Amino acid sequence: GAGVSQTPSNKVTEKGKYVELRCDPISGHTALYWYRQSLGQGPEFLIYFQGTGAADDSGLPNDRFFAVRPEGSVSTLKIQRTERGDSAVYLCASSPGQGGSPLHFGNGTRLTVT
Amino acid sequence: GDSVTQMEGPVTLSEEAFLTINCTYTATGYPSLFWYVQYPGEGLQLLLKATKADDKGSNKGFEATYRKETTSFHLEKGSVQVSDSAVYFCARRAGAGSYQLTFGKGTKLSVIP
């Protein structure tokens, strides 16, 4: 069946611009996660949704980062006034919802800020 | 805070060699432990997991045993194949009802024929 889909796969933007990254989770998965993976590092937690609400956004680095999931399915990660340090691979994952369920990851969006 | 430390790569092995990738974790609480694999051009995939001390996770010939006394979860495979070339990530999750994964930095494995 279809896995987690992330678009675009690559995004190049200029410093100071606004970007949106999209995640389509596996159908029926109520939990959705965003992670960020910088070069040479493991993924770092950004935010977790259970349904439509952000249950934990403690990993968002600052107020330039925001994420929504208005209908409890597709999620959009929004970054305002991008900085070169935001360059990374942004990963989305979903799970059926229970805390012990394994996460299913998408292929990620590679963001490059020039 | 919670952390995971895994051996730095890259690791290069010949086909059929024995593989060990070391991983240690912070012992706070009763974490669940995982190995994820990322093949070239693909997303992270769960390789195996263990949820309590002395559990052994296994999949595709890979094994890892949850060692509470040494706070370790080393990944092993007796005979690697070229198709095992990938980046391997060790990860912990705080407990059975928790959702947040903490990852190690990853170890890149290259297997040559």
Side-chain angles (χ1 to χ4, degrees):
Chain A
V4 176
S5 176
Q6 292 187 245
T7 54
S9 55
N10 281 283
K11 176 70 177 178
V12 180
T13 191
E14 292 179 349
K15 179 177 178 294
K17 299 290 188 183
Y18 168 83
V19 296
E20 290 189 351
L21 312 179
R22 176 186 169 107
C23 173
D24 279 272
I26 293 173
S27 178
H29 281 190
T30 58
L32 185 144
Y33 313 77
W34 284 98
Y35 282 77
R36 179 168 72 172
Q37 186 175 10
S38 301
L39 192 63
Q41 304 294 317
E44 295 177 319
F45 172 79
L46 295 177
I47 186 169
Y48 158 60
F49 287 90
Q50 184 60 254
T52 60
D56 182 355
D57 64 358
S58 62
L60 294 178
N62 51 59
D63 61 6
R64 295 187 297 105
F65 288 74
F66 190 69
V68 296
R69 196 186 184 200
E71 298 179 357
S73 179
V74 171
S75 176
T76 304
L77 178 66
K78 307 181 181 191
I79 310 174
Q80 298 177 320
R81 304 183 304 279
T82 51
E83 299 177 357
R84 292 195 180 89
D86 299 335
S87 298
V89 176
Y90 290 81
L91 299 170
C92 178
S94 69
S95 73
Q98 294 79 20
S101 304
L103 273 60
H104 299 261
F105 283 85
N107 286 3
T109 294
R110 181 176 298 278
L111 175 66
T112 303
V113 182
T114 62
Chain B
D2 295 342
S3 68
V4 173
T5 303
Q6 62 181 104
M7 65 184 283
E8 294 192 15
V11 174
T12 301
L13 295 174
S14 297
E15 207 165 20
E16 299 184 1
F18 183 84
L19 168 71
T20 300
I21 301 178
N22 290 342
C23 171
T24 57
Y25 62 91
T26 50
T28 309
Y30 303 92
S32 296
L33 302 173
F34 306 82
W35 277 99
Y36 278 80
V37 59
Q38 189 169 32
Y39 297 104
E42 299 185 16
L44 279 167
Q45 302 174 23
L46 178 64
L47 180 60
L48 53 84
K49 68 176 183 179
T51 58
K52 61 183 188 297
D54 300 324
D55 269 2
K56 177 185 283 189
S58 60
N59 186 24
K60 299 182 181 181
F62 291 88
E63 293 183 341
T65 301
Y66 189 142
R67 301 282 189 202
K68 188 175 180 181
E69 63 276 12
T70 54
T71 63
S72 65
F73 192 56
H74 304 324
L75 182 68
E76 296 182 337
K77 186 173 185 182
S79 176
V80 293
Q81 305 301 311
V82 172
S83 58
D84 294 326
S85 298
V87 182
Y88 294 81
F89 293 90
C90 186
R92 85 189 288 282
R93 189 162 61 192
S98 180
Y99 52 84
Q100 190 177 131
L101 283 171
T102 301
F103 286 88
K105 291 185 177 182
T107 303
K108 182 176 181 180
L109 170 66
S110 297
V111 181
I112 54 177

